[in-house]
Amino acid sequence: MPRILIADDEDSMRALVARAIGMDGHDIVTAQDGAEALEILIREQGAFDLLLTDIQMPVMDGIALALSAARDFPRLTILLMTGFADQRERASNLNAIAHDVITKPFSVADIRAAVADALAAGKAE
């Protein structure tokens, strides 16, 4: 069963995403921001199959989190989420470390498909 770490500062979005991808039987852990997510990654020694993170968050944004996670846990697959076009542009420079960027708002089917795709790509590497 894949383990997924979700980082999003919006409680409702974090809960929606956790419920949506939990329907596929994944083991879900959530964090309120990038700093908390990084603490969890370090504490659990990167024992996740996927990091699903919002880009725009307080304390530590998703790009800083993705850069730290990719440096410390290079086998971790990273999927970014954003509702802002300028943030998507910032993320385009991360193609080497991030599998994809999914744009908010998305449907339950969209996030489930994006996660399945990212997990499949992570296994292929």
Side-chain angles (χ1 to χ4, degrees):
M1 168 172 42
R3 291 190 79 214
I4 300 173
L5 176 58
I6 301 169
D8 196 308
D9 60 314
E10 292 180 44
D11 293 341
S12 59
M13 179 59 68
R14 196 171 55 248
L16 170 79
V17 171
R19 268 194 320 273
I21 61 180
M23 292 166 52
D24 294 318
H26 305 308
D27 181 15
I28 310 293
V29 176
T30 62
Q32 297 179 56
D33 58 52
E36 183 183 8
L38 188 58
E39 286 175 17
I40 292 168
L41 278 171
I42 291 167
R43 182 177 67 234
E44 304 221 8
Q45 300 173 344
F48 290 90
D49 299 289
L50 178 68
L51 169 61
L52 176 58
T53 181
D54 189 20
I55 293 176
Q56 190 165 324
M57 295 183 291
V59 185
M60 173 187 263
D61 72 12
I63 295 201
L65 172 59
L67 291 169
S68 294
R71 180 195 66 221
D72 296 343
F73 309 103
R75 299 181 61 108
L76 180 63
T77 302
I78 300 169
L79 181 60
L80 302 170
M81 303 180 284
T82 189
F84 301 96
D86 62 323
Q87 298 298 325
R88 189 174 178 90
E89 207 169 285
R90 278 182 63 211
S92 68
N93 299 328
L94 300 178
N95 288 342
I97 63 167
H99 172 73
D100 199 3
V101 180
I102 184 166
T103 304
K104 295 177 184 176
F106 43 72
S107 69
V108 168
D110 290 340
I111 191 65
R112 289 174 72 196
V115 165
D117 184 58
L119 288 170
K123 285 181 185 170
E125 291 176 5

